[in-house]
Amino acid sequence: MAWDILILNCKGLVQVREEISLPLKGAALGKLPIFNNAYLAIADGKFAAYGTMDDLPENYQATTTIDASNRFVFPSFVDSHTHLVFAASREEEFVMKIKGATYEQIAASGGGILNSAKKLQQTSEEELFERSLKRAHEIIKSGTGAVEIKSGYGLTTKDELKMLRVAKRIGKETALTVRTTFLGAHAVPKDMEKEDYIEQILQEMIPAVAGEKLADYIDVFCEQGFFTADETERIVERGKHFGLKPRIHANQLHRSGGVQVGIKTKALSVDHLENIGDEEIELLMESTVMPTALPGAAFFLGLPFPPARKMIDAGLPIAIASDYNPGSAPSGNMSLMTALACIKMKMTPEEAINAATLNTACALELEQTHGSITLGKVANVFITKPMPSVAFLPYAFGSDLIDMVILNGSIIN
Ligand code: NIG
Ligand code: FE
């Protein structure tokens, strides 16, 4: 037994599973396995062994030993929806919103996504990388180990490719596992007709993104004032033709038909869902699409929260992601997202933690390697500060309860 890292005396090892039936849905979403008074061993970047302290082999060898008395060890969060590559924050719009403007009014007056696009187009690739890298380090510190990053603030072929290259580089130069998504259809550029822009997406952007292998997925902002359900279908079908699997921004501001088009095109996930009704819930029940709530965006914009309780009680799975972006969710803190899921969506702490680890891993096709403490999976964990129970994490919202991060079997801080 020669291990690289041995964590001893864990008060609880959270999300320990060998047999997993995924995604976690309905009643199963409420069950979170915890191993008390445990050890966890890591070797070659993977989980190598765990058990109760009583079962720790006597003849073990470990290069580094960590005492986790009174602390919990969680699998790192998987954040399946972010826009963390952007050039500048937009707190001036935050103030406009405080004074009464709506997200749509700000967007219509050239703010919003177009504001971010203008700033990103004026920023060099190197500078964009440096600014985004800071956010990547910030989310690592807050417990995220794998993340999806979208384009969508470029809105020209050149700038969309620039964003995706930066996103991929974050995956190479940090310990984060990164999945990238092409979101050219995020907004229509200022001086362009929508139909012309859609043609550019179909004929120029998608082939270029796929040609340079810059994205795993394709996304569309399916929303009134942005892209219709029919346009969404055309765009993602073209993406599929080039090997990009769909995931959809659906039903954030209106009942846009986004859920229906997500199901029809066999999207991996439909994200947002602030405005869904029984019809969408019933359709989701018959599909394999992962419904994803982004509670940070609903909170920040003062929108209704997705009816998570109703969805789970109906037997659906649900994933929780941050939507980290400068306009509608300027936080990538997944502990806070679990707190919002509990407080505003009446999810239990167990449901919220499952939704932010294993179900988001499913949404990113990372369930074989991430999202739980399972032998052979990538050794991504965070160790908490001393705390009384697992529920304390979402309960103590806003507190920084993360003491140490280990990613790919290496201690980060
Ligand atoms: O997911 N809804 C569309 N896109 C982002 C917001 C983008 C922005 O305002 O910059 C979101 O909320
Ligand atoms: Fe988003």
Side-chain angles (χ1 to χ4, degrees):
M1 239 95 37
W3 295 320
D4 298 324
I5 298 180
L6 175 61
I7 307 173
L8 294 168
N9 303 313
C10 313
K11 180 164 181 164
L13 270 187
V14 180
Q15 192 68 292
V16 180
R17 308 194 188 233
E18 291 307 324
E19 303 285 315
I20 325 179
S21 169
L22 291 172
L24 297 166
K25 50 184 165 181
L29 189 64
K31 300 205 169 66
L32 181 67
I34 300 171
F35 232 83
N36 294 319
N37 190 28
Y39 75 91
L40 174 66
I42 294 169
D44 299 324
K46 304 275 163 57
F47 295 121
Y50 57 78
T52 60
M53 284 304 293
D54 296 340
D55 294 332
L56 180 66
E58 269 170 27
N59 58 343
Y60 74 81
Q61 286 178 353
T63 313
T64 304
T65 307
I66 298 165
D67 180 27
S69 297
N70 300 316
R71 296 152 197 272
F72 288 83
V73 178
F74 280 70
S76 300
F77 292 117
V78 177
D79 189 350
S80 61
H81 182 140
T82 83
H83 310 245
L84 79 71
V85 172
F86 56 87
S89 56
R90 299 202 326 245
E91 60 276 15
E92 63 288 353
E93 294 178 10
F94 171 59
V95 176
M96 286 164 77
K97 272 183 231 128
I98 292 168
K99 293 184 177 163
T102 65
Y103 182 78
E104 288 148 298
Q105 284 165 345
I106 291 168
S109 67
I113 296 163
L114 295 183
N115 181 354
S116 280
K118 195 162 143 207
K119 289 173 178 157
L120 188 135
Q121 289 162 5
Q122 293 163 349
T123 305
S124 72
E125 185 162 334
E126 193 56 36
E127 183 60 31
L128 186 63
F129 174 72
E130 290 303 327
R131 293 180 195 175
S132 306
L133 186 63
K134 287 205 181 88
R135 289 174 214 123
H137 286 142
E138 174 204 332
I139 66 166
I140 288 172
K141 270 202 183 138
S142 67
T144 296
V147 65
E148 182 257 20
I149 305 175
K150 300 177 195 293
S151 69
Y153 293 129
L155 307 185
T156 68
T157 305
K158 161 168 106 18
D159 293 296
E160 285 292 304
L161 297 178
K162 174 169 92 183
M163 278 189 86
L164 290 168
R165 278 195 299 271
V166 166
K168 286 214 109 140
R169 192 171 156 201
I170 287 172
K172 289 202 191 83
E173 297 193 23
T174 72
L176 287 169
T177 299
V178 172
R179 289 278 193 259
T180 54
T181 301
F182 168 61
L183 175 60
H186 198 191
V188 178
K190 211 157 109 235
D191 303 316
M192 247 177 132
E193 291 300 321
K194 197 207 263 185
E195 199 42 48
D196 293 339
Y197 185 55
I198 292 175
E199 275 309 299
Q200 192 186 345
I201 292 173
L202 299 178
Q203 306 310 334
E204 200 178 295
M205 292 188 182
I206 292 175
V209 166
E212 292 190 36
K213 293 197 173 22
L214 287 174
D216 306 292
Y217 306 116
I218 183 160
D219 193 345
V220 175
F221 189 18
C222 181
E223 191 56 62
Q224 272 180 37
F226 292 85
F227 296 88
T228 66
D230 286 347
E231 289 159 354
T232 302
E233 184 175 346
R234 268 171 74 203
I235 295 166
V236 304
E237 283 300 337
R238 178 79 170 159
K240 277 163 77 173
H241 179 75
F242 281 86
L244 307 175
K245 294 185 192 170
R247 42 192 343 115
I248 313 278
H249 274 76
N251 300 60
Q252 179 182 19
L253 307 171
H254 302 95
R255 284 180 81 176
S256 57
V259 168
Q260 284 81 348
V261 73
I263 293 170
K264 185 169 178 198
T265 58
K266 296 201 165 37
L268 282 160
S269 67
V270 286
D271 300 24
H272 273 294
L273 312 181
E274 285 86 344
N275 288 283
I276 62 167
D278 291 344
E279 183 188 322
E280 281 85 359
I281 292 179
E282 272 159 38
L283 291 168
L284 283 165
M285 297 281 293
E286 280 151 36
S287 83
T288 56
V289 180
M290 178 65 77
T292 302
L294 309 170
F299 172 67
F300 190 79
L301 296 183
L303 298 175
F305 283 76
R309 200 60 271 148
K310 204 170 180 182
M311 292 161 72
I312 298 165
D313 293 344
L316 280 175
I318 191 161
I320 300 288
S322 75
D323 198 17
Y324 193 2
N325 78 72
S328 67
S331 168
N333 188 308
M334 288 293 281
S335 295
L336 178 60
M337 299 309 137
T338 64
L340 290 172
C342 295
I343 297 161
K344 305 298 283 187
M345 290 161 49
K346 302 288 174 236
M347 290 172 68
T348 64
E350 290 81 4
E351 288 171 339
I353 291 161
N354 278 325
T357 53
L358 274 174
N359 276 1
T360 39
C362 286
L364 291 186
E365 304 178 290
L366 289 172
E367 71 277 9
Q368 301 296 331
T369 48
H370 293 71
S372 63
I373 297 179
T374 300
L375 295 180
K377 275 195 176 183
V378 175
N380 280 4
V381 293
F382 61 85
I383 305 176
T384 67
K385 293 178 180 161
M387 49 182 219
S389 68
V390 164
F392 192 81
L393 189 83
Y395 157 84
F397 76 95
S399 294
D400 175 12
L401 292 167
I402 297 178
D403 201 31
M404 182 184 273
V405 169
I406 297 175
L407 291 180
N408 308 308
S410 297
I411 297 170
I412 304 287
N413 63 348

